[in-house]
Amino acid sequence: MNVQAHNDLKGDIWEIAKRLRGPYRPPQYRLVMLPMIVLRRLDCLLEPTKAAVLKQHAKLVAANTPANAMDRLLGRAADPDRKHPLYNTSPFSFERLLGDPENIAPNLVSYINSFSPTARAIFERFNFTDQIEKLDASNRLFAIVKAMAGVDLHPDRIDNLQMGYLFEHLVMRFNEQANEEAGDHFTPREVIRLMANLIYTGEHDVYTPGIFRTIYDPTCGTGGMLSESEKFILDQNEDANLALFGQEYNDESWAICCADMLIKDEDTKSIVEADTLTKDGFEGHRFHYLMANPPFGVDWKDQKTVVEREHREMGFSGRFGAGLPAINDGSLLFLQHMMSKMHPYKEGDENAVGSKIAIVFNGSPLFSGDAGSGPSNIRRWIIENDWLDAIVALPDQLFYNTGIFTYVWLVTNRKPPERRGTVQLIDGTRFSQRMKKSLNNKRNEISEDQIRELTRLYGDRRDGATAEVRVNGHNEPRVVSLIFENREFGFLKVTVERPLRMSFEVTEERIARLEDQSAFANLATSKKRKDDKAAAREIEDGVAQQAAIRKVLATLKAKGRYGDREAFDVDLARAAEREDIKIAAPVKKAIFAALGERDATAEICRDGKGRAEPDSELRDTENIPLPEGTTLPLPMEFGPDKPNDKLVTAFRGAIDAHMAREVHPHVPDAWVDYDKTKVGYEIPINRHFYVYKPPRPLEDIEGDITALEDEIAGLLKGLVA
């Protein structure tokens, strides 16, 4: 692609768009320009065979040819080699529309309505007819059509890949004008190329002449990822038979993607228009390769009802069986959806060839959620089934509308033997170069050499591999590839309890605290709303009971401080008996709460069975790594609130050893509440590659400060002189 020519084309299109100013605000330019560009491209494509199509059309009409047959025969007249008909039976073209300025609006509508059915469906999604009326009323239609007629978009001059770049550039600029959110972004082409390099590394079958493979993108947008992936394979195996599939819920993006597919003579029915989370556009289908860049950090509140129902009713028979992520980030739902589309794998079985996935995430799916939560359970499900192959950390400021760090996850159910049971982490955060001119938040790009280097690191799969990277303006070697066993990402989260120790004393100040205890305060209330007299009697009795309790407590003032709750309980019971009143259990609990205080020197409070009661204020948790030799999957079902008996039995020794080693030397009275033990999984990729650098010596810092002070003093002298 000629970069200068492409830049000129982008500039020309944008200048045409600016003519819409007035009737349209800049964010609305897209309503006209995107369908107009598609229309002009089809116009250029069909112009050479237009005469033949019109002649055939007249002949078929005269013969009363059925519609189905007419579609097929007109398609052949336009291009006998095409499998999917594309033609236009209108006498108009962009050039001919200019010959009748007064009727350009109805003529343009007639021209669009004369396209073959698939092309018409694309323009219906654009709702372009409404814009034609508005353009004509504002006297802009003729000028825009005339300007576009001067732009040559024939596929022989502008190939589909360049058109993809053009559309993405324009949509990005339109989004910029509309101040779209960070999640509404496009994947930079070099990131797609990196993903394609990574996903097809080690995939020897895809380079076999005549091989048939399917590629699927559940968030395909304008189809850039599908196009780049297809190009990557065909550049190395032109005899490969590839079928592209995608799903997109945005009308405009779907229409652009379908236009690209139509021009390439591919089936537009394989691009489904629907929300992937609420409607599976390819139910029952499996794909060989799956790639996606789902929106980052976008909530799924609108899809919540459908997703939760599928999770609840279908479990692992549906798409979201492993768990549900937090409502403010649905990224892991897309990954689960993609994994439900993987071919089954069985070594040596041609009918069970497996699949491979490349997906871009922000940092959240690496570690979000506590142990036992939805995100943690999803990570556990992926890792314990040995499907997570590698994660490549990308540089920041790569995407147009967000500068955050991103990560490519590689997931497959057919790891080669040498990769099984392990996950490779690659630190690619310094594999970028500064762009000469930034595009919104995109200030960095990955060069072709850097793509090759990252691909080589993945393909070599070497633990501790290093690379020369740029750090603070200097080159230095850094470890950029590490290999971990699957179990190293898992841990047990155990709840550590410590005993409750309380002392008690009856003082006026503590008796006054009883008023704040709801069980005590409720004694002087009534729920009898319809009988005022009965309510009054109940309240009066309650007030008397409160007074009696205060009197009972007053008899214990002389006892001073109790360092044992059991002794205080015995004296309280005796005092109540002497006053002939019964203290209900909730009220006694309120008395303990009001008169008691935590006291490390007091005796341990015990329940009716003599067991120490835990102090909720001293409760803590410990994350215990899964010990070496752990066999996965762990003996505990996937999903929230599953029984953990077998898990605790299997790891009781490891938990107790951890307590003896790490906890008891500091708090010997602590114990583990085994029933609360949970499994967690997280992937702290940044921590593994963190390199500590000690601060500079104080003498050096002091010297720098002194030099700055001298410099400032010199400047001030110059001003005063």
Side-chain angles (χ1 to χ4, degrees):
M1 183 176 71
N2 186 315
V3 175
Q4 185 56 50
H6 184 64
N7 289 336
D8 290 344
L9 176 62
K10 291 190 296 187
D12 292 343
I13 297 290
W14 189 250
E15 286 302 315
I16 296 172
K18 286 163 66 175
R19 298 186 188 187
L20 296 168
R21 184 183 292 274
Y24 290 86
R25 292 183 293 108
Q28 297 175 315
Y29 293 171
R30 61 191 307 149
L31 301 175
V32 174
M33 293 310 299
L34 295 180
M36 189 65 82
I37 292 169
V38 172
L39 185 60
R40 175 56 181 157
R41 185 160 173 81
L42 294 180
D43 184 72
C44 293
L45 175 67
L46 298 178
E47 178 62 27
T49 58
K50 192 168 189 63
V53 170
L54 292 178
K55 182 178 178 182
Q56 178 73 336
H57 182 245
K59 182 179 173 182
L60 295 172
V61 170
N64 288 324
T65 307
N68 289 343
M70 187 178 285
D71 181 52
R72 179 167 46 82
L73 294 171
L74 288 173
R76 285 183 185 174
D79 185 346
D81 296 328
R82 283 186 65 93
K83 292 181 289 186
H84 305 284
L86 174 60
Y87 56 86
N88 188 299
T89 57
S90 167
F92 295 108
S93 65
F94 268 59
E95 284 297 331
R96 296 185 184 97
L97 284 168
L98 299 177
D100 187 3
E102 295 300 321
N103 295 301
I104 190 167
N107 290 343
L108 181 57
V109 172
S110 171
Y111 178 46
I112 293 171
N113 290 338
S114 300
F115 273 105
S116 45
T118 306
R120 280 205 308 274
I122 291 172
F123 286 103
E124 286 171 5
R125 288 294 186 279
F126 279 125
N127 288 321
F128 192 41
T129 307
D130 296 342
Q131 305 309 320
I132 291 173
E133 188 176 337
K134 183 175 178 179
L135 285 167
D136 192 40
S138 58
N139 201 28
R140 294 291 201 286
L141 184 58
F142 181 82
I144 295 297
V145 172
K146 184 179 180 182
M148 285 301 301
V151 180
D152 187 355
L153 296 178
H154 193 284
D156 289 346
R157 263 77 68 187
I158 311 292
D159 63 20
N160 287 326
L161 193 62
Q162 187 177 351
M163 278 305 294
Y165 284 127
L166 176 65
F167 275 121
E168 291 192 1
H169 168 80
L170 291 173
V171 173
M172 181 196 71
R173 292 198 68 170
F174 295 141
N175 279 0
E176 182 184 21
Q177 300 292 328
N179 195 25
E180 290 280 357
E181 293 181 1
D184 298 331
H185 54 264
F186 290 90
T187 312
R189 291 294 171 141
E190 79 268 22
V191 175
I192 301 177
R193 286 198 295 277
L194 172 62
M195 293 172 68
N197 275 272
L198 293 172
I199 198 172
Y200 299 122
T201 294
E203 299 293 299
H204 305 298
D205 287 350
V206 81
Y207 304 115
T208 304
I211 192 78
F212 173 74
R213 286 293 180 261
T214 53
I215 305 169
Y216 171 56
D217 181 352
T219 56
C220 66
T222 57
M225 199 163 280
L226 292 172
S227 299
E228 283 285 353
S229 189
E230 179 186 43
K231 180 178 182 301
F232 181 89
I233 295 176
L234 293 180
D235 282 348
Q236 300 172 73
N237 179 15
E238 61 181 9
D239 294 326
N241 296 311
L242 303 177
L244 307 182
F245 298 85
Q247 188 160 346
E248 174 58 43
Y249 75 111
N250 179 280
D251 283 355
E252 199 174 74
S253 298
W254 177 87
I256 293 173
C257 184
C258 284
D260 179 56
M261 297 282 285
L262 183 61
I263 290 170
K264 289 190 292 188
D265 196 22
E266 293 176 6
D267 191 359
T268 57
K269 292 178 182 174
S270 61
I271 307 297
V272 173
E273 186 189 12
D275 186 331
T276 299
L277 297 184
T278 57
K279 180 182 177 183
D280 183 357
F282 297 95
E283 194 170 349
H285 286 234
R286 309 276 181 168
F287 305 97
H288 296 100
Y289 299 101
L290 304 94
M291 302 171 72
N293 175 21
F296 302 149
V298 173
D299 68 56
W300 49 283
K301 292 174 186 169
D302 294 336
Q303 298 88 353
K304 183 171 181 285
T305 303
V306 176
V307 170
E308 286 186 342
R309 183 170 62 238
E310 181 171 340
H311 169 72
R312 185 176 57 253
E313 296 179 356
M314 300 188 68
F316 283 102
S317 299
R319 298 176 293 163
F320 311 119
L324 301 178
I327 196 70
N328 59 359
D329 188 354
S331 300
L332 285 170
L333 291 176
F334 287 99
L335 178 55
Q336 287 190 82
H337 165 80
M338 294 168 78
M339 294 179 73
S340 74
K341 300 292 175 192
M342 292 197 299
H343 282 288
Y345 177 69
K346 185 177 181 182
E347 197 159 359
D349 188 344
E350 292 182 355
N351 297 317
V353 294
S355 302
K356 193 170 182 181
I357 294 170
I359 186 169
V360 186
F361 281 148
N362 62 4
S364 175
L366 293 170
F367 51 77
S368 64
D370 198 1
S373 68
S376 178
N377 282 334
I378 295 169
R379 288 190 292 271
R380 181 190 164 209
W381 176 64
I382 295 169
I383 293 173
E384 290 194 358
N385 282 292
D386 198 18
W387 292 328
L388 181 59
D389 184 17
I391 294 178
V392 181
L394 302 182
D396 63 347
Q397 302 179 53
L398 271 185
F399 288 78
Y400 300 121
N401 287 0
T402 178
I404 61 174
F405 284 100
T406 50
Y407 305 83
V408 175
W409 290 39
L410 295 170
V411 177
T412 179
N413 58 357
R414 52 175 159 79
K415 285 185 183 178
E418 68 275 14
R419 304 186 82 96
R420 288 174 191 166
T422 66
V423 176
Q424 182 181 14
L425 302 183
I426 297 175
D427 180 12
T429 54
R430 299 181 188 281
F431 286 69
S432 68
Q433 61 188 20
R434 210 66 173 169
M435 294 174 64
K436 293 178 181 177
K437 184 181 178 183
S438 62
L439 294 170
N440 293 350
N441 289 312
K442 182 173 173 58
R443 299 181 179 87
N444 294 327
E445 61 185 359
I446 306 175
S447 69
E448 292 302 318
D449 285 344
Q450 289 164 334
I451 289 175
R452 281 193 288 273
E453 179 68 2
L454 288 169
T455 306
R456 185 189 63 75
L457 287 167
Y458 169 67
D460 288 350
R461 190 191 166 273
R462 198 157 60 82
D463 188 32
T466 61
E468 195 81 12
V469 296
R470 198 79 174 159
V471 181
N472 296 328
H474 304 284
N475 285 343
E476 62 178 67
R478 284 282 183 93
V479 172
V480 292
S481 171
L482 294 170
I483 309 294
F484 295 89
E485 294 177 39
N486 288 343
R487 60 97 190 162
E488 291 183 85
F489 299 105
F491 61 91
L492 302 174
K493 184 174 182 177
V494 298
T495 300
V496 178
E497 303 282 11
R498 293 184 63 192
L500 177 66
R501 297 174 186 269
M502 297 190 74
S503 62
F504 298 84
E505 190 170 3
V506 181
T507 64
E508 290 300 327
E509 180 187 351
R510 296 192 185 189
I511 290 175
R513 292 182 197 165
L514 270 175
E515 310 302 328
D516 298 329
Q517 298 294 322
S518 56
F520 183 80
N522 288 341
L523 290 174
T525 60
S526 174
K527 294 182 179 178
K528 293 182 168 59
R529 307 294 182 197
K530 297 180 179 178
D531 188 340
D532 292 342
K533 289 183 179 178
R537 281 196 302 275
E538 197 169 77
I539 291 172
E540 186 179 348
D541 291 345
V543 170
Q545 194 175 357
Q546 286 179 331
I549 292 173
R550 291 193 193 94
K551 185 178 178 182
V552 167
L553 293 176
T555 63
L556 300 177
K557 282 183 181 178
K559 296 281 187 177
R561 173 183 171 276
Y562 288 83
D564 186 340
R565 189 179 70 180
E566 190 173 350
F568 175 70
D569 190 19
V570 170
D571 283 359
L572 177 63
R574 288 174 180 167
E577 188 176 355
R578 283 196 298 273
E579 297 296 330
D580 194 25
I581 66 169
K582 291 184 179 179
I583 302 177
V587 177
K588 188 164 76 171
K589 191 176 179 182
I591 293 172
F592 286 168
L595 273 59
E597 289 184 350
R598 281 179 169 76
D599 186 340
T601 65
E603 294 296 322
I604 295 174
C605 299
R606 299 184 183 277
D607 61 16
K609 296 182 179 178
R611 296 173 301 195
E613 293 183 21
D615 185 342
S616 60
E617 293 187 4
L618 296 178
R619 184 171 294 146
D620 204 350
T621 57
E622 288 281 316
N623 289 346
I624 303 175
L626 297 180
E628 287 187 27
T630 297
T631 302
L632 300 180
L634 297 175
M636 181 178 174
E637 290 181 47
F638 292 101
D641 304 323
K642 297 296 183 184
N644 67 355
D645 308 42
K646 293 180 180 176
L647 179 80
V648 171
T649 301
F651 291 97
R652 180 70 178 258
I655 295 171
D656 292 345
H658 176 89
M659 289 292 291
R661 186 176 61 250
E662 304 290 341
V663 179
H664 286 154
H666 309 287
V667 280
D669 58 0
W671 74 90
V672 171
D673 186 343
Y674 296 100
D675 291 342
K676 295 178 180 174
T677 300
K678 296 179 180 177
V679 175
Y681 272 82
E682 61 181 20
I683 307 165
I685 184 169
N686 296 327
R687 190 171 72 203
H688 288 304
F689 290 105
Y690 174 72
V691 177
Y692 171 74
K693 281 200 168 185
R696 292 189 300 151
L698 290 175
E699 294 77 12
D700 291 354
I701 298 172
E702 186 178 6
D704 288 348
I705 294 173
T706 303
L708 282 172
E709 288 175 344
D710 292 343
E711 184 181 350
I712 293 169
L715 292 171
L716 289 173
K717 282 182 183 177
L719 289 173
V720 174

